[in-house]
Amino acid sequence: MKLGKIVLGGLAVLAIAGAAGWFSLDKETRGLLSTLPTNSDVLFWSQRQRDAGFRALDRLPVLAKAHVVAAGAAPSALPPGPPLALSLDVGAYMAQQRSAALVILQDGKLRLERYGLGFDREGRWTSFSVAKSITSTLLGAAVRDGHIRSLDDKVSDYIVEMKGSAYDAVSIRQLLTMTSGVRWNENYGDPQSDVARFNNHRPEPGADALVSYLRQLPRAAPAGTRWNYSTGETNLVGVLVARATSKPLATYLSEKIWRPAGMEQQATWILNRSGQEISGCCIQAATRDFARFGQFVLDGARIGGQPIVPDGWLAEATTRRTDIGQPGRGYGYQWWTYDDGSFAARGIFGQGIFIDPKRRLVIASNGNWAGGASNRADSAARDSFYRAVQKAIDDEGVGKPGG
């Protein structure tokens, strides 16, 4: 993710601090200023810069602009449950993950809550690709609300600039499952990848930067025949939802979920160069509220007993819709799925929401993996932790027949 051009150096820091009053700034903003990165691409920040930046991306407009996701006045309760008896050392796990926060809910009760890296329950941490699953849920809401007729409609029915492009043959369902067949390279370390090239793309005057870039991509496979992970396509989902609803995504998220589901704090959603929320990334929220979102989905995405998504949506969205070449796993509608019925939202530096319906379990985590983006060892350790929590629940007899 590339942020706005940053004017840097000690003089810039001193100017900001002098104008605002250093000690009048919150600790997250002071931390960001003290480590302000020279590289505008967050993927290439140092570990120290990420530690400071991930909790404060929305603090300085010179770094990134954002829309507010307003919360309501009555947060939903997180009643305490009995401490979770785990067979592993939670502190050691969090240190290995460089974890900023870990919140575990089971049957709606708070079973574990820990913080690290100087972070706490009042802070907001950036979601990275956890936002993809939230964006997918908003698309479901737009279908329920009648703004989108069918997942079998073509993308170009709602984004007319895509007519004549490779996306003209792509359905919304294929966009959600990342099976468009349109070529996209998500390699974060490759300067010639689409992720990197998009950051330098100059759109035509008045055109949305994302739409301008994606509509020139060629087809690599017939639509619906191949899965290929593409943040660009999730960003396109967000453009589609915003156009269909005629509302900014942050506004729609607040109206459909953040307020009525009882989130405790306002969130923010970082904007791209065109002033559109980056729907494949970058929602800043409290970890407790990420856990509340997981609980909301676990409870059927219901407000006042009524679902905000169509009947059957969650069953489709959170189970394997396409194969991803990994045994026991798949991809749904912007959710990573496991064949045991659990599913997850995942971010590249250790952000995650893991949901296990059988055990009534939600695990929300935020971190800054030492290994960097998409580190396989850290990802495997996180999956092992999920299994350890599942075993601890099973050992209690919860979720077993007669338990």
Side-chain angles (χ1 to χ4, degrees):
M1 184 194 76
K2 187 170 183 179
L3 302 173
K5 186 69 177 177
I6 309 170
V7 180
L8 301 164
L11 290 177
V13 172
L14 289 173
I16 295 171
W22 179 261
F23 292 104
S24 69
L25 301 174
D26 61 60
K27 67 177 182 178
E28 285 81 9
T29 304
R30 293 199 303 269
L32 178 61
L33 287 171
S34 67
T35 62
L36 203 60
T38 55
N39 192 320
S40 58
D41 193 331
V42 68
L43 296 174
F44 299 101
W45 289 2
S46 71
Q47 182 174 289
R48 182 167 176 258
Q49 289 166 340
R50 296 197 307 265
D51 278 352
F54 287 0
R55 71 192 77 202
L57 286 183
D58 56 356
R59 296 298 200 276
L60 299 176
V62 69
L63 184 62
K65 293 180 172 60
H67 283 159
V68 169
V69 181
S76 62
L78 295 179
L84 189 62
L86 288 166
S87 60
L88 52 76
D89 184 330
V90 175
Y93 166 74
M94 291 184 69
Q96 182 277 324
Q97 290 276 292
R98 299 202 77 257
S99 180
L102 181 61
V103 175
I104 299 179
L105 307 179
Q106 195 274 318
D107 203 23
K109 296 181 175 62
L110 187 63
R111 301 294 305 273
L112 185 146
E113 183 175 22
R114 299 272 189 93
Y115 295 93
L117 305 183
F119 191 64
D120 57 42
R121 61 176 285 185
E122 303 302 323
R124 297 192 300 270
W125 199 267
T126 193
S127 70
F128 282 93
S129 289
V130 167
K132 289 180 168 68
S133 305
I134 296 175
T135 296
S136 163
T137 307
L138 290 182
L139 191 142
V143 174
R144 175 87 180 194
D145 287 348
H147 300 299
I148 294 171
R149 294 180 298 274
S150 167
L151 294 187
D152 296 319
D153 286 353
K154 300 302 183 186
V155 171
S156 55
D157 292 342
Y158 298 84
I159 307 174
V160 294
E161 302 96 309
M162 287 305 188
K163 290 187 181 297
S165 76
Y167 281 97
D168 207 359
V170 175
S171 71
I172 297 173
R173 192 185 310 275
Q174 290 161 345
L175 197 65
L176 277 176
T177 55
M178 296 190 183
T179 57
S180 71
V182 178
R183 189 195 71 191
W184 176 270
N185 178 354
E186 185 91 2
N187 186 340
Y188 303 121
D190 180 1
Q192 295 305 311
S193 70
D194 289 292
V195 172
R197 293 174 61 194
F198 169 68
N199 289 335
N200 299 311
H201 175 66
R202 300 290 181 185
E204 311 90 289
D208 179 272
L210 175 76
V211 171
S212 172
Y213 184 81
L214 291 184
R215 69 185 179 191
Q216 62 186 5
L217 296 180
R219 174 160 297 286
T225 64
R226 190 185 73 177
W227 181 79
N228 182 48
Y229 189 77
S230 171
T231 295
E233 295 197 343
T234 312
N235 292 341
L236 196 62
V237 171
V239 172
L240 193 153
V241 172
R243 293 200 182 179
T245 62
S246 300
K247 293 178 180 179
L249 292 180
T251 301
Y252 199 51
L253 175 57
S254 176
E255 291 176 357
K256 302 305 297 185
I257 301 173
W258 223 252
R259 284 180 182 271
M263 302 305 174
E264 188 171 354
Q265 295 187 40
Q266 73 171 29
T268 58
W269 205 330
I270 299 295
L271 309 179
N272 64 18
R273 286 171 289 167
S274 301
Q276 162 82 35
E277 291 88 347
I278 305 173
S279 45
C281 178
C282 311
I283 296 173
Q284 284 62 232
T287 309
R288 279 184 160 216
D289 286 338
F290 283 129
R292 283 184 173 95
F293 175 76
Q295 188 67 42
F296 167 75
V297 171
L298 179 62
D299 290 339
R302 295 176 180 274
I303 301 296
Q306 296 299 314
I308 70 158
V309 294
D311 294 342
W313 172 272
L314 287 177
E316 291 187 10
T318 62
T319 54
R320 183 200 295 249
R321 298 295 103 195
T322 185
D323 184 74
I324 63 173
Q326 297 180 30
R329 302 187 185 185
Y331 202 69
Y333 297 163
Q334 309 283 305
W335 291 94
W336 301 91
T337 68
Y338 300 80
D339 287 354
D340 68 354
S342 59
F343 53 96
R346 301 199 315 222
I348 59 174
F349 284 98
Q351 298 81 358
I353 303 173
F354 176 81
I355 301 172
D356 181 348
K358 292 179 183 176
R359 297 171 177 86
R360 298 286 299 163
L361 176 66
V362 174
I363 305 173
S365 54
N366 280 314
N368 178 18
W369 285 344
S374 300
N375 183 271
R376 291 185 179 181
D378 289 339
S379 180
R382 183 175 57 184
D383 280 336
S384 294
F385 179 77
Y386 292 160
R387 290 192 293 272
V389 175
Q390 289 174 316
K391 183 178 184 303
I393 298 298
D394 288 346
D395 288 346
E396 295 175 342
V398 175
K400 294 182 179 180

